[in-house]
Amino acid sequence: MASAVEREHGPLLGRESALETVTSLLEPGQLVSIVGLGGIGKTRVAREIAARRLASGDACVVLDLAPIWSRDAVPAALASVLGASEDADRDLIHAIAAILDKRPTLVVLDNFEHVLGARDDVRAILRRATTTTVLTTSRVPLGLAGEHVAELERLTGPASVADVEIAPASAVFLRRARDLGRLTSVDPADADAIVEICHRLDGLPLALELA
């Protein structure tokens, strides 16, 4: 059981500790939520974990909830990803659990803050499909009993120009600039500017890449 996972090329800079922490919590029957500000990199961490699961041959499905604004639409969307169907004799949660029970599976629900009302569906799925693990990304925790919350911090910026190549925030900026062909080498003036940019953008990965 698998789903397509968009994975950014190159290493996930500055998130090694977060990846290790979240991965250690992903046990059958558990709910783990990656929380933090918009643009902090929650989706990148979750999709990196999903991609690693798939690469190792484990079952994993990913559902982006950003386009969904009704909590009632979440079960149908997940059922569609899983290939489950509703019939007159059972509801969608039952159908979803029946599919998930066939094999231990990591279910990634990205951007859950849009549909917090669907947390009861998550609880019901975990109760019925006991070998399933649910990983969510959200700006706030789901607030369910037993939920493990991993909060992402801002990326550390360079303390001085000497740290520009190695500090996570500036490394993200430099990688994006080089990928776009905007910067091939870093002279002292460039380094000063990058330190200032990282300081102003306060370590937000999305802002650094857009900059």
Side-chain angles (χ1 to χ4, degrees):
M1 183 186 302
S3 61
V5 178
E6 294 181 5
R7 189 180 192 179
E8 184 177 317
H9 295 295
L12 185 55
L13 299 172
R15 294 303 190 200
E16 295 81 5
S17 178
L19 284 167
E20 182 178 349
T21 297
V22 174
T23 300
S24 71
L25 296 171
L26 296 175
E27 298 291 339
Q30 296 298 313
L31 166 64
V32 181
S33 295
I34 303 173
V35 302
L37 299 171
I40 201 74
K42 303 181 293 295
T43 293
R44 280 280 287 116
V45 171
R47 288 182 177 268
E48 178 65 23
I49 290 171
R52 292 183 182 187
R53 282 290 182 105
L54 291 171
S56 67
D58 293 333
C60 179
V61 295
V62 179
L63 175 60
D64 182 9
L65 299 172
I68 300 174
W69 289 93
S70 169
R71 54 89 55 211
D72 296 327
V74 173
L78 181 56
S80 177
V81 170
L82 292 169
S85 59
E86 186 176 13
D87 59 41
D89 297 324
R90 59 181 182 176
D91 62 18
L92 275 177
I93 298 299
H94 185 98
I96 289 167
I99 294 289
L100 292 173
D101 260 344
K102 294 178 180 179
R103 183 182 177 187
T105 302
L106 173 64
V107 176
V108 179
L109 302 175
D110 194 19
N111 297 299
F112 205 92
E113 68 271 5
H114 293 281
V115 286
L116 282 174
R119 58 190 174 188
D120 290 337
D121 296 322
V122 172
R123 176 166 46 198
I125 290 168
L126 286 171
R127 284 176 177 172
R128 297 190 192 187
T130 57
T131 63
T132 297
T133 308
V134 175
L135 173 63
T136 73
T137 72
S138 179
R139 295 189 183 187
V140 295
L142 274 61
L144 294 177
E147 176 184 16
H148 297 285
V149 177
E151 184 169 2
L152 280 193
E153 303 292 339
R154 301 170 189 269
L155 292 177
T156 303
S160 67
V161 294
D163 299 327
V164 162
E165 293 282 355
I166 59 174
S170 49
V172 167
F173 179 90
L174 284 170
R175 182 178 65 187
R176 184 61 172 163
R178 286 165 176 162
D179 286 347
L180 294 172
R182 302 288 180 84
L183 190 68
T184 55
S185 61
V186 180
D187 62 29
D190 292 330
D192 283 334
I194 292 168
V195 170
E196 179 64 18
I197 289 169
C198 291
H199 175 72
R200 292 193 178 195
L201 297 180
D202 206 14
L204 284 174
L206 180 59
L208 289 164
E209 292 193 356
L210 291 175

